[in-house]
């Protein structure tokens, strides 16, 4: 049986790749050629990294903090699952980046220019563009921009629109497991990732993380089932009639989804777990999941 291949979107693989400053420099220059970055240094996060810490636990868990030769700061993250609240996630990382990089004794006037960059294995905005960039604009006069010196860039690995550099296109090909891109950056990244997959020590770390995450998933499923059943029974007992029981079952299902989301479980696994636990089809499970997402986002899509 062929060994499982861990690619660029894997949490540990991405971190290992970004630990090398030459990779950080090449990737930032691929994204932002207009900045003409000539050198970078990777800053160590002052807080311990817990590879199993979900954002809901509010653990400071940067993938890569980078400082360039002009004292600009970059937080580069890999996002594999399109979960609700991406905007809030960006806001949280921006706040943490500012706190992490502000020197002792400095105040907000000393904040450096910063970029929060998310590599997304999905289209975060649904416009098929390969790169989205956001700033603060005045609602009526779109020519008026608030000078916060902060930038947000979302990179869509599935996009087809927008002109991007050949180097960024090469990085996206690596994300999508395309091995035929002959760009030197793509060739180098593929070789590094292959080496990490072959290295026995690193492979053990990858497999251990996978198993520990699977244990977390099972624990989340168990706790979610208990919480979902409890919520559903309360609602069901309140009515007692067939309609009330049906509502109770619905509440139990929605409660299960909320509980699994709180455990940090990705959408695909939540839908699969829900279908298995409630003995319903994947389509029905997806329908319930969409209800939760719609309610969370205030009914907007």
């Amino acid at each position: 049986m062929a060994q499982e291949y861990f690619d660029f979107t894997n949490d540990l693989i991405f971190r290992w790749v970004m630990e090398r400053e030459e990779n950080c420099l090449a990737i930032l220059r691929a994204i932002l050629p207009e900045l003409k970055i000539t050198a970078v240094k990777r800053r160590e996060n002052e807080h311990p990294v817990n590879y199993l810490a979900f954002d809901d636990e509010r653990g400071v868990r940067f993938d890569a903090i980078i400082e360039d030769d002009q004292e600009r700061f970059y937080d580069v993250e890999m996002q594999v699952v399109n979960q609700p609240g991406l905007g809030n996630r960006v806001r949280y990382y921006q706040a943490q980046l500012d706190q992490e990089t502000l020197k002792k004794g400095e105040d907000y006037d000393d904040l450096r220019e910063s970029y929060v960059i998310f590599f997304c294995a999905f289209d975060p905005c649904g416009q098929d563009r390969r790169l989205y960039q956001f700033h603060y604009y005045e609602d009526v006069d779109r020519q008026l921009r608030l000078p916060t010196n902060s930038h947000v860039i979302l990179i869509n690995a599935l996009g087809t629109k927008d002109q991007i550099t050949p180097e960024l296109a090469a990085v996206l090909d690596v994300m999508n497991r395309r091995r035929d891109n002959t760009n030197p950056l793509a060739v180098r990244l593929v070789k590094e990732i292959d080496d990490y997959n072959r290295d026995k020590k690193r492979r053990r770390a990858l497999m251990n993380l996978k198993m520990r995450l699977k244990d977390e998933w099972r624990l989340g499923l168990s706790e979610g089932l208990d919480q979902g059943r409890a919520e559903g029974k309360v609602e069901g007992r309140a009515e007692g009639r067939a309609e009330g029981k049906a509502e109770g079952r619905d509440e139990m299902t929605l409660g299960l989804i909320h509980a699994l989301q709180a455990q940090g479980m990705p959408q695909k696994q939540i839908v699969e777990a829900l279908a298995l636990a409630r003995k319903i089809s994947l389509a029905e499970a997806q329908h319930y999941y969409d209800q939760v997402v719609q309610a969370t986002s205030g009914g907007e899509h």
Side-chain angles (χ1 to χ4, degrees):
M1 181 181 296
Q3 284 189 325
E4 180 178 0
Y5 185 81
F6 296 94
D7 62 22
F8 191 44
T9 62
N10 176 273
D11 192 36
L12 279 179
I13 293 287
F14 183 71
R15 289 172 188 271
W16 290 335
V17 168
M18 297 302 289
E19 282 175 358
R20 300 186 61 177
E21 291 183 359
E22 63 180 296
N23 291 337
C24 294
L25 176 60
I27 289 172
L28 288 180
R29 293 178 70 173
I31 301 168
L32 297 159
E34 67 275 12
L35 296 186
K36 302 187 186 303
I37 306 169
T38 59
V40 299
K41 57 182 178 181
R42 193 183 190 283
R43 288 185 45 135
E44 292 300 324
N45 189 1
E46 295 177 1
H47 305 281
V49 173
N50 174 6
Y51 287 118
L52 294 180
F54 296 115
D55 289 333
D56 288 332
E57 295 176 311
R58 299 298 179 265
V60 180
R61 185 178 153 279
F62 294 109
D63 283 343
I65 303 177
I66 306 159
E67 182 180 0
D68 72 9
D69 51 313
Q70 299 297 315
E71 292 191 324
R72 292 174 293 225
F73 286 100
Y74 308 83
D75 168 32
V76 185
E77 304 287 334
M78 178 66 70
Q79 296 289 313
V80 177
V81 179
N82 188 8
Q83 294 179 323
L86 181 63
N88 286 340
R89 185 183 299 261
V90 169
R91 176 182 170 185
Y92 178 71
Y93 274 85
Q94 178 67 66
Q96 294 299 323
L97 177 62
D98 289 339
Q99 182 177 352
E100 191 78 12
T101 56
L102 201 62
K103 296 176 182 177
K104 187 175 181 180
E106 295 180 330
D107 59 27
Y108 62 84
D109 288 329
D110 300 303
L111 285 170
R112 276 69 168 180
E113 187 171 10
S114 66
Y115 291 77
V116 173
I117 301 171
F118 280 15
F119 278 99
C120 301
F122 53 88
D123 188 341
C125 301
Q127 296 187 9
D128 194 33
R129 291 170 51 193
R130 291 191 281 188
L131 189 148
Y132 303 93
Q133 186 162 187
F134 299 90
H135 299 92
Y136 287 91
Y137 289 95
E138 206 280 325
D139 286 347
V140 176
D141 183 358
R142 299 294 293 172
Q143 300 300 314
L144 182 59
R145 193 170 96 183
L146 193 64
T148 63
N149 271 337
S150 63
H151 313 261
V152 173
I153 296 177
L154 306 180
I155 299 170
N156 170 24
L158 305 180
T160 63
K161 299 177 182 178
D162 288 338
Q163 291 293 321
I164 58 176
T165 64
E167 288 73 24
L168 181 54
V171 175
L172 298 187
D173 278 349
V174 174
M175 280 186 66
N176 290 312
R177 291 197 181 189
R178 299 192 186 107
R179 304 178 66 91
D180 57 348
N181 193 314
T182 58
N183 182 281
L185 179 56
V187 173
R188 188 174 85 213
L189 292 179
V190 168
K191 182 182 183 304
E192 282 190 33
I193 295 168
D194 286 348
D195 289 343
Y196 292 142
N197 274 270
R198 285 191 291 263
D199 183 276
K200 290 183 179 180
K201 184 177 180 180
R202 291 187 188 265
R203 187 161 189 87
R204 278 198 301 273
L206 289 163
M207 294 303 297
N208 287 341
L209 177 61
K210 178 184 176 183
M211 295 306 297
R212 291 172 66 187
L213 286 172
K214 186 175 289 187
D215 289 341
E216 290 287 319
W217 179 85
R218 289 169 177 162
L219 176 62
L221 175 59
S222 175
E223 292 179 353
L225 282 169
D226 292 341
Q227 181 177 337
R229 288 193 185 104
E231 293 180 8
K233 286 178 181 178
V234 169
E235 183 69 19
R237 284 197 298 268
E239 293 296 332
R241 300 186 303 273
E243 180 181 353
K245 290 179 181 178
E247 289 180 2
R249 285 194 296 271
D250 285 346
E251 289 297 320
M252 181 173 71
T253 301
L254 299 178
L256 172 58
I257 294 172
H258 282 297
L260 295 181
Q261 283 182 331
Q263 293 292 325
M265 186 180 294
Q267 172 186 343
K268 183 175 183 294
Q269 292 182 0
I270 291 177
V271 172
E272 291 174 349
L274 185 63
L276 180 65
R278 302 294 297 124
K279 294 182 174 59
I280 57 179
S281 68
L282 286 173
E284 290 177 288
Q286 184 65 55
H287 173 71
Y288 279 114
Y289 184 89
D290 291 342
Q291 280 185 272
V292 171
V293 172
Q294 185 175 7
T296 302
S297 61
E300 299 178 359
H301 292 285

